[in-house]
Amino acid sequence: QVDILKALYPSYKEEVYRRREQMMKLTAFACSFLVLLLVTMLTTSAPSHPDVTTALFAVTGVALFSALFAYLILQQRNRHRMAKESLIEIERLLGLYDEGFYLEGRSLYPENWQTDWLGDKSVTVYLTILATLTVLVMASVFVRI
């Protein structure tokens, strides 16, 4: 069983990092698009003011775009958490948190590594930035009316 855990450990470790990176990439792409849209909306002069129907379609499109990316980020967060929980369980079973198992008088990994990730606020930051940019783009659409 230890050999199986040692074989699984690198895969789960990679999965944890890959999911975190995926959340960052999704956030970066969506925010870049929204910033580009915002700059375009604010710097180009409209030949005529759009009517309310056009503005509502534009705002709905931006809201759907942002909602989709928020969903994808949350989906990656959930998968990241599942992989992280499994990784910590494998680390426990391998004795990486046991004092004296690998190093005399202390554990190989600090005890707080098992729980620190639960307080991670990065997804909150990602979604807050996404929501703020979405509101700014929507406001720029309504300003043009």
Side-chain angles (χ1 to χ4, degrees):
Q1 289 181 350
V2 172
D3 290 336
I4 292 171
L5 292 174
K6 286 180 181 179
L8 287 175
Y9 184 73
S11 298
Y12 276 93
K13 191 82 165 177
E14 178 61 31
E15 182 72 7
V16 167
Y17 287 120
R18 191 173 64 235
R19 295 296 177 180
R20 168 73 65 193
E21 183 180 18
Q22 191 66 22
M23 286 186 286
M24 290 186 287
K25 284 180 179 179
L26 287 166
T27 302
F29 177 79
C31 290
S32 296
F33 178 77
L34 290 171
V35 166
L36 179 65
L37 192 57
L38 181 62
V39 169
T40 302
M41 290 289 297
L42 295 176
T43 59
T44 59
S45 57
S48 65
H49 293 292
D51 61 5
V52 175
T53 305
T54 305
L56 287 176
F57 277 121
V59 167
T60 302
V62 169
L64 287 173
F65 173 85
S66 295
L68 173 64
F69 273 86
Y71 172 78
L72 293 172
I73 292 166
L74 290 172
Q75 183 181 54
Q76 292 302 314
R77 185 217 39 201
N78 291 340
R79 291 177 179 174
H80 170 77
R81 284 184 170 216
M82 288 188 296
K84 186 71 173 181
E85 287 173 0
S86 297
L87 179 69
I88 289 171
E89 188 59 33
I90 290 170
E91 291 170 347
R92 281 187 192 131
L93 293 170
L94 290 173
L96 301 177
Y97 297 105
D98 296 342
E99 189 174 311
F101 196 77
Y102 289 97
L103 302 173
E104 191 173 318
R106 61 187 178 109
S107 66
L108 189 60
Y109 286 178
E111 189 72 26
N112 62 314
W113 280 14
Q114 296 178 70
T115 56
D116 280 354
W117 65 278
L118 293 170
D120 183 25
K121 302 291 184 228
S122 60
V123 172
T124 304
V125 173
Y126 300 155
L127 294 177
T128 300
I129 293 169
L130 183 65
T132 302
L133 287 170
T134 301
V135 169
L136 288 173
V137 171
M138 289 176 168
S140 72
V141 169
F142 285 124
V143 165
R144 296 189 85 141
I145 295 180

